[in-house]
Amino acid sequence: TAYEIMPSLVGSEMCIRDRIVAGAKEVGRDPASIDIACMLIVRLTDDPARMMPSLKERMVRLLAERFVGEVLLEHGGFDPSILLPLRAAAESRGEQAAVHFITDAIVEAFYLLGDASVCRQRIVEYREAGVDNPLLLPRLEDYENVVVSLGSRA
């Protein structure tokens, strides 16, 4: 069995299935023969709204990077036309000036954000999309809580 790593920052769960299946067929491989591992960035919280501003700032930093922003938005199913004004605002006035370009939906596509039940449901969605091995990446200070809350059910 081949083992492939799919980076987490590719967008939606369906994007994973579509890209892996298409890529496998393109090179003459059976998509079912590929084990897919995907790094899922976890932000376990009972108050997602409180975390949203810092995650939006992080998304500005990611999207401001040339090529990275294009890949993330296009493969994530988001409109890449925000990149030019986002980058201009971030460069001239700082990241905070560009945060308004980042919707909650963008953040939620790239992070497992919420309480344990929300995060577990997102893991299920990734598994249903073909991810065999979800690799959970919490903040270091949240590691134990994520392991206890999600480890036996993820």
Side-chain angles (χ1 to χ4, degrees):
T1 299
Y3 189 76
E4 303 288 332
I5 299 293
M6 187 65 158
S8 63
L9 296 176
V10 295
S12 73
E13 300 82 11
M14 293 310 295
C15 177
I16 293 171
R17 178 186 303 145
D18 295 345
R19 290 179 54 119
I20 293 293
V21 169
K25 287 179 179 178
E26 189 175 303
V27 296
R29 289 181 61 188
D30 176 5
S33 72
I34 300 172
D35 291 329
I36 303 170
C38 183
M39 187 71 67
L40 304 175
I41 304 168
V42 179
R43 294 300 179 259
L44 191 61
T45 178
D46 291 328
D47 189 3
R50 193 179 93 296
M51 273 193 173
M52 194 62 74
S54 65
L55 296 178
K56 286 183 177 187
E57 285 183 32
R58 175 68 180 138
M59 289 304 305
V60 167
R61 286 192 296 278
L62 288 169
L63 298 179
E65 292 293 323
R66 302 237 180 267
F67 183 71
V68 174
E70 286 78 4
V71 169
L72 294 180
L73 292 184
E74 289 172 15
H75 293 294
F78 295 98
D79 181 5
S81 70
I82 69 166
L83 292 174
L84 196 58
L86 177 144
R87 288 171 176 158
E91 186 175 321
S92 66
R93 298 187 314 275
E95 292 170 1
Q96 192 59 41
V99 166
H100 71 277
F101 291 103
I102 308 298
T103 64
D104 290 359
I106 290 173
V107 171
E108 290 164 354
F110 294 101
Y111 290 88
L112 301 189
L113 175 64
D115 63 21
S117 66
V118 169
C119 291
R120 276 195 294 276
Q121 180 55 43
R122 289 291 312 284
I123 294 166
V124 167
E125 291 167 6
Y126 274 91
R127 286 186 182 276
E128 288 174 351
V131 173
D132 301 295
N133 302 298
L135 308 172
L136 305 183
L137 180 62
R139 293 181 303 180
L140 259 152
E141 62 267 22
D142 295 335
Y143 186 85
E144 183 178 4
N145 188 30
V146 169
V147 169
V148 170
S149 299
L150 302 177
S152 64
R153 297 180 183 152

